[in-house]
Amino acid sequence: GGILAMTGGKDYRRSPFNRATAAKRQPGSAFKPIVYAYAIEEGLAQNKMLLDAPIVYRGSREGQDWRPENFSESFRGEMTLRQALAVSQNVPAVRLIEMLGPYSVAQFGHSLGIESTLDPNLSLALGTSEVTLLNLTSAYAVFPNFGKKINPYGVVEVADRQGRIIWRVKPQRRLVMSRTGAAIITNMLEAVVHEGTGRKARMLSRPVAGKTGTSNSYKDALFVGFSPSIATGVWVGNDDSTTLGTRETGARAALPIWIEFMTAALSGQPHQYFDIPDDVVQVRMDPENGMRATDNAPNAVSALFKKGTEPH
């Protein structure tokens, strides 16, 4: 929960506004892990199939119908939860939040540490509600922290002129999701790095997980992710919400910054691994169909399941 580093702008003298703590921006697909984490908490396994096909939601008036679209402008048919999150398809995420209930997902997001208003509608799954980078990064930190939320803090202790400690922080910890669910969503966010939109982060050559995010018209680009010990969020955007430019996605504009920072932050640190609780099993799985795969299957991945829910 301790803040190790923070950059809130380019030049404090020109603009003292701290964008890391105060700017509320759309996170785009960087909000999806909260939806999928809630799905795991509700008992869904990461090999559950979601349909990626065209869908129309009727509006209250004529001409207000909503047709969610994928960034790729194509559809893939049935997909596992794991694959839908890894490649960041929008339509399966919308179907998932419809199944779970937007209000319940919003409440879960608040429990993870999102303080801003989360509108309980279907587009919440696509990151249309504005959040601060600090809140979003703090929410992600719950996943490698065994399901515990720790309120972020920037001051560890205060000493008087003689060096005597007169105040020391007492981090506020609270269990907000199960250790099992935290381990499984972490494993799914590792898939973003190894199988999806965050592939560039594989160059770190150590366990990391995270998610890209891009808002409409390329106004915001994000990558929020973590190692077992450090959670880091990167947002790139303009104060006036003008576009960053065509194809300036989270993977292109934000992820390289995240990689550069994490390379330095983890340099010389011990090689750590993510938590695997006792009630979780690791299974070789085909990410396409969610079935158990043979050890030598070329596309098999290592997926975590709560005992008793794994594919046979």
Side-chain angles (χ1 to χ4, degrees), residues 130-154:
E130 296 175 340
V131 300
T132 67
L133 185 61
L134 179 61
N135 276 184
L136 189 61
T137 307
S138 177
Y140 271 63
V142 169
F143 305 146
N145 203 33
F146 319 123
K148 294 176 187 167
K149 174 184 177 291
I150 304 179
N151 293 338
Y153 58 91

Side-chain angles (χ1 to χ4, degrees), residues 5-9 19-21 23 25-31 131-138 140 201 204 209-215 219-226 230-237 244 248-263 265:
M6 181 187 293
T7 301
R19 293 150 190 82
T21 61
R25 304 288 295 230
Q26 289 187 343
S29 292
F31 190 84
V131 300
T132 67
L133 185 61
L134 179 61
N135 276 184
L136 189 61
T137 307
S138 177
Y140 271 63
L204 288 169
K211 184 71 187 75
T212 50
T214 311
S215 69
K219 294 175 182 176
D220 305 271
L222 300 93
F223 190 87
V224 186
F226 49 85
I230 298 174
T232 302
V234 173
W235 165 79
V236 180
L244 292 166
E248 289 297 325
T249 61
R252 181 169 171 175
L255 180 53
I257 300 169
W258 189 90
I259 292 170
E260 185 177 354
F261 175 81
M262 289 296 275
T263 298

Side-chain angles (χ1 to χ4, degrees), residues 200-304:
K200 290 177 186 173
R202 287 186 296 184
M203 64 182 290
L204 288 169
S205 299
R206 58 165 75 213
V208 292
K211 184 71 187 75
T212 50
T214 311
S215 69
N216 283 342
S217 304
Y218 306 100
K219 294 175 182 176
D220 305 271
L222 300 93
F223 190 87
V224 186
F226 49 85
S227 72
S229 60
I230 298 174
T232 302
V234 173
W235 165 79
V236 180
N238 294 317
D239 285 342
D240 59 3
S241 293
T242 53
T243 183
L244 292 166
T246 303
R247 294 290 178 184
E248 289 297 325
T249 61
R252 181 169 171 175
L255 180 53
I257 300 169
W258 189 90
I259 292 170
E260 185 177 354
F261 175 81
M262 289 296 275
T263 298
L266 297 173
S267 177
Q269 298 297 312
H271 203 88
Q272 295 176 295
Y273 294 92
F274 289 119
D275 177 53
I276 301 180
D278 291 339
D279 64 343
V280 167
V281 291
Q282 207 161 11
V283 172
R284 296 286 288 173
M285 182 187 87
D286 185 326
E288 299 279 342
N289 58 29
M291 305 292 284
R292 186 183 282 265
T294 58
D295 289 341
N296 58 359
N299 66 333
V301 298
S302 183
L304 297 186

